[in-house]
Amino acid sequence: MRTPIRMPSLPPNPLPPNPYDELAALADPDPTPPLTRPDGDAVTQEIPLPRQDTEKESDELPIPLKCGENDDDSWSPPDHRRTGRRRRGGRSRRRKRRSPFSAVPRTLKLLLGLLFCAGFLVLADRCAAMYAEKKAQQELQKQLHLAAAPQVDIHGFPFLTQVLDKRLERVDVTVPHVAADRVSLAKVRASASDIRLTGDLPRDIRGAVIGDLDGEAELSFDDMNRELAASEVKFSRLDDSSVSADGKLTVAGQELRVRARAQVRMAGNSELSTDIDDMSVDVPGIATYRPGKGKGLTLHRETAERISRDAARVKALLSVPAVVERLGVPDEAIAVALRDEEKLHELTGAPRFVERLTHVNLVDVVIAHPWLLRRIGIDPGLVAGLIHLRPPELSDHLSFSFKLPKEAKGLQLRGVKVDKSGIRASLSGMELAVGRT
């Protein structure tokens, strides 16, 4: 067992204690090589520590260690440059916020910019076209004295380059309700192409010259029925070139039905007119009157059947030679029938007799024998009123026509056709001047 070596005690120092010595005493003692004896055994040396007051030690609180501190860890000086860079980077990130478009590729940005510019140019071009359409509508309404503004559609893109070139590709114009004589045109549509503008562009456009124009004028049956309502006439399609007219007429205080055929034709290059033919006036349940040359008054079938069943009325008719002659019955048979009721019944009861009677023209007969109408049950005043009707008077109630406006110079009618809704006339024109040229 090794015995510790005790150091000899030093004599007391008369000088006052040095504070730096006390601090040095608190430090760890320097390692000293162990003392060895001559025989090689180590000598243990005890170093006396300064006496400390245990009461003071109990009053002092231990200094806590920081979390993660370890005496064994090696100490290194702080890197102030790294900390400064980190702080400056944090401040720069707080100052500079990244744009949402910073992640978008540059090519995509360029493409979006081009699309935006193109959209803006298209919008500007369409606004200019709409402005030009509005000005054209106002000018046409003023020149043609229209009640309603027409519709103008300018085609072709872009519009501004066409204006700068003073030439438009195509313009469509629709004009509603154009006054034309007794009736009005329901609609006039025109498509103009190769339009050359005149004036100082782009602000002062004085007029235009239309190179080629194709159009159509529509005369509606609904408008005709409404505008010719004084005669209560209804118009409808009969075939591709004719119109059926059906109206009412009052004669001798009785309402009669008027029917006619209106043949549609062109009168020159700017007018459409009608020829009225195949006209008839029906006395309901009695007779039909057809005015004009070669026409006359004929009985309805129900009237002829009623007369054939009445012996007195049949004898009144057969007593007139003109009627017997038109019936084509031999005089001997008529003489026997007038004397024998049975023979008379056989003659008038045959279907052929009624059929022949409906084709007999009674105009000249009733003029020569006015008493005959009363004998067969027809009002003489009504028949007299029918006979005094003249075809021109009836035609005025049923005819219609229209002319192109005088302002539409150079515009011509090319053809006419009747369809289900009305009458359509085709229009055309070349080198038409509009406005001041």
Side-chain angles (χ1 to χ4, degrees):
M1 183 175 182
R2 297 178 183 178
T3 58
I5 301 174
R6 296 184 177 273
M7 298 294 295
S9 61
L10 297 177
N13 189 4
L15 296 176
N18 190 354
Y20 293 100
D21 295 338
E22 295 180 0
L23 292 176
L26 294 175
D28 294 336
D30 294 334
T32 57
L35 300 177
T36 57
R37 293 180 180 178
D39 54 1
D41 294 334
V43 180
T44 303
Q45 181 181 4
E46 293 182 0
I47 301 175
L49 297 176
R51 183 179 179 183
Q52 298 180 359
D53 194 354
T54 57
E55 294 179 358
K56 292 182 179 180
E57 291 178 358
S58 62
D59 294 336
E60 294 177 0
L61 296 176
I63 299 175
L65 297 177
K66 293 183 180 180
C67 181
E69 253 185 359
N70 193 348
D71 294 338
D72 297 336
D73 294 341
S74 60
W75 179 86
S76 61
D79 189 355
H80 298 287
R81 290 177 297 178
R82 184 188 307 171
T83 306
R85 286 195 299 269
R86 187 183 303 111
R87 290 177 181 176
R88 287 194 298 271
R91 287 195 298 268
S92 63
R93 283 193 296 269
R94 286 194 297 270
R95 287 196 300 266
K96 297 180 180 179
R97 296 181 178 179
R98 299 184 65 185
S99 173
F101 295 99
S102 60
V104 180
R106 182 175 299 178
T107 304
L108 184 57
K109 292 180 182 179
L110 180 60
L111 180 59
L112 292 176
L114 292 177
L115 290 177
F116 177 78
C117 294
F120 179 78
L121 293 176
V122 171
L123 180 62
D125 186 84
R126 290 300 89 194
C127 290
M130 293 173 62
Y131 176 78
E133 291 173 353
K134 187 66 176 179
K135 296 295 290 184
Q137 292 173 5
Q138 296 174 356
E139 190 67 22
L140 286 176
Q141 184 178 10
K142 179 180 178 181
Q143 288 191 7
L144 300 179
H145 307 286
L146 302 174
Q151 179 181 351
V152 178
D153 297 320
I154 300 177
H155 298 270
F157 180 81
F159 167 72
L160 293 177
T161 57
Q162 297 182 70
V163 174
L164 295 177
D165 193 34
K166 293 187 177 183
R167 187 180 295 270
L168 301 180
E169 294 180 6
R170 183 168 66 92
V171 177
D172 294 339
V173 180
T174 302
V175 184
H177 301 291
V178 180
D181 202 6
R182 293 181 61 192
V183 295
S184 63
L185 299 176
K187 188 182 296 183
V188 177
R189 293 187 295 268
S191 178
S193 58
D194 189 19
I195 304 165
R196 301 185 298 276
L197 303 178
T198 59
D200 298 330
L201 302 179
R203 294 184 177 181
D204 185 17
I205 300 178
R206 295 179 298 176
V209 178
I210 302 174
D212 189 13
L213 183 142
D214 291 323
E216 183 181 69
E218 179 183 353
L219 183 59
S220 172
F221 286 145
D222 293 337
D223 292 341
M224 294 170 61
N225 295 336
R226 182 179 62 254
E227 296 174 4
L228 299 177
S231 57
E232 299 182 3
V233 179
K234 300 291 183 181
F235 295 93
S236 60
R237 179 182 183 276
L238 192 59
D239 53 41
D240 290 345
S241 60
S242 58
V243 176
S244 174
D246 192 346
K248 295 180 179 180
L249 185 66
T250 301
V251 177
Q254 187 171 349
E255 190 176 78
L256 309 180
R257 184 177 182 181
V258 181
R259 294 180 179 178
R261 174 178 177 176
Q263 189 76 23
V264 183
R265 62 180 180 85
M266 291 190 304
N269 296 327
S270 61
E271 184 177 356
L272 186 148
S273 62
T274 53
D275 294 330
I276 305 298
D277 57 5
D278 198 15
M279 187 182 303
S280 64
V281 181
D282 291 337
V283 182
I286 298 177
T288 298
Y289 175 65
R290 292 180 173 84
K293 187 178 180 180
K295 309 298 181 181
L297 179 67
T298 56
L299 299 175
H300 287 178
R301 187 174 186 86
E302 54 267 31
T303 304
E305 291 177 351
R306 186 168 58 250
I307 293 174
S308 65
R309 291 191 297 266
D310 191 335
R313 294 180 180 182
V314 171
K315 289 181 179 181
L317 278 176
L318 297 179
S319 63
V320 178
V323 176
V324 174
E325 181 181 355
R326 292 170 185 176
L327 284 173
V329 181
D331 295 340
E332 295 80 5
I334 295 295
V336 172
L338 292 176
R339 294 191 301 267
D340 189 348
E341 294 288 339
E342 186 176 352
K343 295 293 183 181
L344 181 63
H345 181 70
E346 291 179 0
L347 177 62
T348 58
R352 188 176 180 182
F353 177 81
V354 175
E355 186 69 23
R356 287 179 177 180
L357 188 57
T358 57
H359 290 85
V360 174
N361 187 358
L362 300 178
V363 172
D364 52 354
V365 174
V366 298
I367 292 176
H369 307 279
W371 55 270
L372 182 60
L373 293 176
R374 186 171 283 105
R375 292 286 299 273
I376 63 177
I378 299 176
D379 184 8
L382 178 60
V383 175
L386 289 174
I387 294 175
H388 286 88
L389 285 176
R390 296 292 181 266
E393 298 174 1
L394 295 175
S395 298
D396 290 340
H397 293 282
L398 305 175
S399 63
F400 57 90
S401 63
F402 75 83
K403 295 180 180 180
L404 294 177
K406 296 180 179 179
E407 293 80 5
K409 297 180 180 179
L411 197 61
Q412 297 179 351
L413 292 173
R414 293 299 184 188
V416 60
K417 184 179 180 180
V418 181
D419 60 15
K420 185 178 181 180
S421 60
I423 302 171
R424 300 181 185 275
S426 58
L427 311 171
S428 65
M430 297 181 66
E431 299 299 323
L432 303 177
V434 180
R436 296 172 298 167
T437 57

